């Protein structure tokens, strides 16, 4: 249940840079399991089963092609190759692979959707002002100001 050949191949692919960067995945949940509840995971996890509830992941969440997650998630990074439904907050990057399907809201600094990937929901940039105003920046310009109508 916790280790199989396909999961090991997926982990090797991830470590070789396809997709994402090399992060050792400490937990692999098999494709026949179905679990529900609140999960606090200190490191990274690859999910190849059905999970429902709430997840707090201290590293990278990888939802494999056979994975189905219906949960509110807080994580650093996420790669979705299977199905995800819920609200996700990721302080790092979120990638929806070509086989990934996401329904829900994502708050993150970076979202990448590969060709063939599916996303239905809203995206909010991390730390974006909630009042809709964007920060203003002072730009120094040595040119004299010209008023409209002035020649």
């Amino acid at each position: 249940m916790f280790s199989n050949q396909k999961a090991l191949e997926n982990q090797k692919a991830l470590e070789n840079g396809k997709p994402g960067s090399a992060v050792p995945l400490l937990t692999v949940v098999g494709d026949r399991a179905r679990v529900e509840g609140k999960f606090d995971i200190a490191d990274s996890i690859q999910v190849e089963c059905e999970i429902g509830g709430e997840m707090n992941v201290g590293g990278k969440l990888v939802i494999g092609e056979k994975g189905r997650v219906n949960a509110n998630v807080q994580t650093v990074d996420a790669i979705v190759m299977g199905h995800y439904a819920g609200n996700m907050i990721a302080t790092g990057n979120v990638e929806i692979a070509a086989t990934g399907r996401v329904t829900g809201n994502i708050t993150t600094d970076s979202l990448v959707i590969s060709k063939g990937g599916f996303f239905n929901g809203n995206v909010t940039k991390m730390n974006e002002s909630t009042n809709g105003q964007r920060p203003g920046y002072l730009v120094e310009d040595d040119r004299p100001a010209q008023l409209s109508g002035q020649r």
Side-chain angles (χ1 to χ4, degrees), residues 8 21 32 43 65 89 92 101 127 129 144:
L8 293 175
S21 60
R32 293 194 176 125
D43 295 306
E65 289 184 20
I89 298 173
R101 299 186 60 80
N127 299 324
S129 173

Side-chain angles (χ1 to χ4, degrees), residues 39-53:
F39 304 95
D40 290 321
I41 300 153
D43 295 306
S44 298
I45 182 171
Q46 179 170 340
V47 176
E48 294 288 351
C49 69
E50 188 174 339
I51 290 184

Side-chain angles (χ1 to χ4, degrees), residues 122-134:
N122 296 307
V123 180
T124 304
K125 182 153 176 64
M126 186 69 74
N127 299 324
E128 187 173 89
S129 173
T130 57
N131 62 7
Q133 296 179 342
R134 296 188 179 248

Side-chain angles (χ1 to χ4, degrees), residues 46-113:
Q46 179 170 340
V47 176
E48 294 288 351
C49 69
E50 188 174 339
I51 290 184
E54 191 175 318
M55 296 178 75
N56 293 314
V57 181
K60 181 182 284 188
L61 168 65
V62 178
I63 301 173
E65 289 184 20
K66 294 181 181 180
R68 299 182 79 80
V69 175
N70 185 0
N72 291 327
V73 171
Q74 284 195 313
T75 186
V76 177
D77 296 314
I79 298 175
V80 181
M81 296 181 279
H83 290 66
Y84 173 76
N87 296 315
M88 179 184 293
I89 298 173
T91 57
N93 304 313
V94 175
E95 179 180 342
I96 302 172
T99 57
R101 299 186 60 80
V102 174
T103 303
N105 301 315
I106 298 175
T107 301
T108 186
D109 274 336
S110 171
L111 174 64
V112 175
I113 303 173

